[in-house]
Amino acid sequence: MQETRAWWKEAVVYEVYPRSFADSNGDGIGDLNGITEHLDYLKTLGVDVIWITPFFASPNTDNGYDISDYQAIMKEFGTMEDFDRMLSEIHKRGMKMVLDLVVNHTSDEHAWFIESRKSKDNPYRDYYIWKDGKDGQAPTNWGSRFSGSAWAYDEGTGQYYLHLFSTKQPDLNWANPKVRDEVYRMMTWWCEKGIDGFRMDVISSIGKERYEDGPVASGRIYGNDAPFCKHTESTHRYLREMREKVLSHYDLITVGEAGGTVEQACRYASSDGSELNMIFSFEHNDALNDHTAMGKWSDHGAPLGEVREILNRWQTQTAGKAWNSVYLTNHDQPRQVSRYGNDSPLFRERSAKMLATLIHMMRGTVYVYQGEELGMTNAYFTKLSQYRDVEVFGTWEQWVESGRVNPEDMMRWFERISRDNARTPMQWNRNKNAGFTDGTPWIEVNPNYLQINAEDEMQDPDSVFHYYQKLIELRHTMDIVVYGSFVPMLEESEAVYAYRRELDGNTLSVFCNWTERTVDCPEADAVPGRELISNYATHKPGVLLPYEARVIFTES
Ligand code: NOJ
């Protein structure tokens, strides 16, 4: 089936985590002017769209994912004038901007919540989810994503409010039409300002349907809220309403942070255009958890078989039904090259390029997370005091301080998996603090900035940066990269991830060695055609060298 064309299918999106991108005023915190100063860098890389994680007024419990005013700029990040200038500079360069829509919850310092908690009959009471306790306990056994109960008791009115994330992130009550109208009004306001799309935070949880205890998995402390709070019918209803009231009036790119199964994705991102353009899947990240009580905190690696089975399933089962987003990691995951590749000095560059090849040649809109294009690595902090993430501290309290897990195990898991690994400052050059700030950075700079930084990479034609630039250019110049169908190959191989794309009789064949060994792969030599890109200048017959990636174009 011929894929319908759309600009957002052809786009490469770059995710900016503003706090860690570039600090223009020396306070140690990245800001909007810092982004504006580096737009030429992004243009040189070749990306089309910049998704900026939340930059709205916020007490910063969760680095801006706790918003106290949707129509004001976080003071550490600048002013509305700074925003207007940034947006106009983005547009001047022919790029677009995606806003992070965080409307599952607000900050507890949002004016709505301040009102809401005042009294049971306050007009804003129903903007949030308030319930009576059950036998002196929380209304249900649900746990917060950041540890502890998902319910907080409020002395003032003697009721509990729901917070799927931290206690400072109360969930909005989407069942209340006034809440939905407020959200749609706010979205329209930003669209009128000229933004080009929305990334929708935890959008799959906006429709809560029942408030009942969830199943408690073995070894876990809290019950699972998913049956009542995730992928519900009401969520789909609200998204369709949002499309009708806001999205359909503009030419936007929309991506929902939704997770779930491929079937669920096909509904959110259906080709009928009734809800969203695409969603972010989490399966390749989540499946690597050990599925113990500790969830993502584990020693599980990233075996080829598991990763390939998941990514291939998402590629093939969305065909003809839905559009995909393709990415490996973001600001909520450790660094891509550390998690899926090999960040040792010997293999870092090759494996970063191999992973990039694998993702960029797939079917879907590609997302690049800041610094990934340089092959930035995990921070591997060894002391708790080096961390900044609310999730780390909540987890430490729940599991280590309570004596359930020993500190050495927890610290090892933080080093491998913590979100702070991906939140260290962008490495711009070899100057103090990697050129990120003249002040004291809010989180430590990775000391490897002397070896890994944008300035050096821009001067080196063989750098990871230039490799990304070339991959992006291929997507922009070859229809097959965007619109070709996806066919898995060598699915039994223990070392090689291979697939092909097909369009109008032409074929693009991709071979990636997932290992640090030289492995047999006569199939790569057997494909006739022209090599489009590889992370090795020369090849050895019959084999793929460590982390080798090769893309071959065969014209009919
Ligand atoms: C997902 C965001 O990506 C993450 O950073 C945040 O902590 C949660 N949603 C809560 O908003």
Side-chain angles (χ1 to χ4, degrees):
M1 197 181 89
Q2 199 70 18
E3 193 92 59
T4 44
R5 300 184 79 97
W7 68 263
W8 44 264
K9 291 183 178 173
E10 298 168 12
V12 174
V13 184
Y14 187 92
E15 179 192 355
V16 169
Y17 196 70
R19 205 175 178 78
S20 303
F21 192 62
D23 173 22
S24 70
N25 63 357
D27 66 358
I29 297 173
D31 45 44
L32 300 186
N33 287 340
I35 299 175
T36 309
E37 283 169 15
H38 288 87
L39 291 177
D40 287 335
Y41 168 82
L42 299 179
K43 186 69 191 165
T44 306
L45 180 60
V47 298
D48 309 281
V49 178
I50 307 171
W51 151 31
I52 307 178
T53 64
F55 47 78
F56 317 97
S58 164
N60 276 308
T61 292
D62 188 17
N63 290 352
Y65 281 97
D66 46 325
I67 297 171
S68 52
D69 184 343
Y70 289 105
Q71 286 167 231
I73 304 295
M74 189 192 297
K75 58 181 184 328
E76 294 89 333
F77 287 179
T79 63
M80 197 55 86
E81 288 70 47
D82 297 336
F83 170 82
D84 291 336
R85 195 171 48 252
M86 177 185 73
L87 184 62
S88 113
E89 292 296 324
I90 290 174
H91 286 161
K92 253 191 225 163
R93 287 166 179 77
M95 297 187 286
K96 295 178 187 282
M97 198 223 112
V98 161
L99 184 121
D100 211 318
L101 184 76
V102 188
V103 288
N104 173 69
H105 46 267
T106 67
S107 162
D108 65 341
E109 296 180 33
H110 193 290
W112 300 337
F113 191 76
I114 293 173
E115 283 302 311
S116 184
R117 82 186 323 170
K118 280 186 181 159
S119 66
K120 287 186 179 172
D121 56 7
N122 188 284
Y124 287 90
R125 187 68 171 179
D126 267 356
Y127 272 47
Y128 295 86
I129 299 163
W130 292 95
K131 299 276 172 218
D132 290 326
K134 214 174 52 189
D135 312 323
Q137 305 281 315
T140 69
N141 65 356
W142 305 348
S144 136
R145 310 279 184 272
F146 291 155
S147 81
S149 165
W151 296 94
Y153 183 68
D154 193 55
E155 296 275 340
T157 53
Q159 283 193 310
Y160 291 79
Y161 66 87
L162 180 68
H163 59 91
L164 292 183
F165 292 87
S166 88
T167 49
K168 287 189 63 66
Q169 292 165 294
D171 281 54
L172 281 166
N173 178 18
W174 274 70
N176 180 351
K178 284 197 206 141
V179 167
R180 306 206 297 275
D181 282 347
E182 298 263 21
V183 170
Y184 303 151
R185 205 172 313 136
M186 175 272 285
M187 290 172 75
T188 304
W189 187 83
W190 282 105
C191 288
E192 289 299 314
K193 256 185 164 311
I195 60 123
D196 305 288
F198 294 102
R199 174 267 184 189
M200 303 185 183
D201 193 61
V202 269
I203 204 69
S204 48
S205 289
I206 56 175
K208 278 93 182 168
E209 291 191 349
R210 281 172 299 137
Y211 296 89
E212 296 170 17
D213 283 347
V216 185
S218 142
R220 298 236 177 190
I221 306 171
Y222 294 98
N224 184 2
D225 58 70
F228 323 104
C229 294
K230 265 194 183 169
H231 314 298
T232 57
E233 278 308 310
S234 52
T235 293
H236 288 287
R237 219 171 40 243
Y238 301 148
L239 285 174
R240 287 195 295 273
E241 182 181 79
M242 182 193 283
R243 171 148 296 276
E244 183 202 317
K245 300 216 163 152
V246 186
L247 306 177
S248 61
H249 302 292
Y250 303 90
D251 183 19
L252 302 169
I253 176 171
T254 54
V255 52
E257 196 207 22
T261 62
V262 194
E263 292 71 34
Q264 281 155 342
C266 288
R267 214 172 147 197
Y268 287 114
S270 164
S271 317
D272 71 9
S274 56
E275 296 184 16
L276 303 172
N277 293 156
M278 65 197 104
I279 63 145
F280 287 130
S281 137
F282 303 146
E283 214 183 319
H284 60 282
N285 290 317
D286 287 351
L288 304 180
N289 297 342
D290 273 344
H291 299 289
T292 62
M294 297 308 299
K296 74 175 186 178
W297 307 113
S298 86
D299 293 310
H300 204 113
L304 170 62
E306 290 179 35
V307 177
R308 179 176 53 201
E309 187 279 321
I310 295 163
L311 297 182
N312 282 359
R313 184 154 39 76
W314 278 77
Q315 287 285 301
T316 53
Q317 296 187 5
T318 49
K321 295 188 191 147
W323 190 248
N324 251 327
S325 66
V326 281
Y327 79 106
L328 281 174
T329 61
N330 57 25
H331 68 283
D332 288 333
Q333 302 294 331
R335 283 281 173 188
Q336 178 161 312
V337 70
S338 303
R339 183 74 178 112
Y340 294 91
N342 183 331
D343 62 9
S344 69
L346 193 58
F347 294 120
R348 183 187 64 83
E349 281 197 31
R350 299 259 195 231
S351 70
K353 291 173 182 173
M354 181 277 287
L355 294 172
T357 314
L358 185 73
I359 288 298
H360 281 250
M361 291 296 113
M362 282 186 170
R363 175 181 170 273
T365 300
V366 175
Y367 289 76
V368 178
Y369 175 61
Q370 74 184 35
E372 180 194 313
E373 77 283 11
L374 305 175
M376 276 179 63
T377 67
N378 271 6
Y380 296 122
F381 290 146
T382 52
K383 295 195 287 275
L384 198 59
S385 59
Q386 293 175 293
Y387 286 96
R388 296 289 176 269
D389 188 2
V390 59
E391 180 184 62
V392 161
F393 301 119
T395 305
W396 185 262
E397 193 185 318
Q398 178 166 309
W399 296 97
V400 181
E401 283 177 6
S402 65
R404 292 184 177 97
V405 165
N406 75 58
E408 293 74 32
D409 284 341
M410 203 69 241
M411 286 305 291
R412 188 177 70 253
W413 294 328
F414 287 164
E415 275 184 47
R416 300 188 68 240
I417 307 290
S418 150
R419 311 194 293 182
D420 278 341
N421 280 306
R423 298 177 177 184
T424 59
M426 180 73 177
Q427 294 167 200
W428 291 108
N429 53 42
R430 293 194 211 181
N431 300 343
K432 187 174 158 229
N433 298 323
F436 162 71
T437 180
D438 293 336
T440 307
W442 71 278
I443 186 169
E444 282 175 33
V445 174
N446 191 321
N448 66 15
Y449 71 93
L450 294 171
Q451 293 79 45
I452 307 171
N453 64 72
E455 197 171 283
D456 286 353
E457 294 206 21
M458 288 181 83
Q459 280 157 22
D460 171 7
D462 283 334
S463 64
V464 180
F465 176 89
H466 280 112
Y467 195 86
Y468 267 77
Q469 196 183 41
K470 197 165 168 197
L471 285 170
I472 294 169
E473 198 184 307
L474 285 174
R475 178 161 292 257
H476 287 156
T477 49
M478 300 193 70
D479 263 6
I480 192 168
V481 178
V482 181
Y483 295 110
S485 61
F486 179 95
V487 185
M489 286 167 23
L490 309 183
E491 282 178 284
E492 300 302 316
S493 169
E494 280 169 18
V496 180
Y497 194 145
Y499 60 87
R500 52 174 200 274
R501 308 287 306 281
E502 294 175 348
L503 187 72
D504 302 331
N506 299 333
T507 309
L508 194 80
S509 304
V510 181
F511 295 92
C512 293
N513 179 356
W514 192 258
T515 75
E516 59 183 53
R517 290 172 284 117
T518 297
V519 299
D520 286 341
C521 190
E523 295 85 353
D525 293 344
V527 177
R530 173 163 63 92
E531 182 176 292
L532 293 183
I533 190 167
S534 174
N535 55 355
Y536 278 83
T538 53
H539 309 297
K540 255 181 128 175
V543 299
L544 290 178
L545 295 164
Y547 296 108
E548 179 170 343
R550 231 188 272 178
V551 181
I552 305 149
F553 181 59
T554 317
E555 234 163 327
S556 61

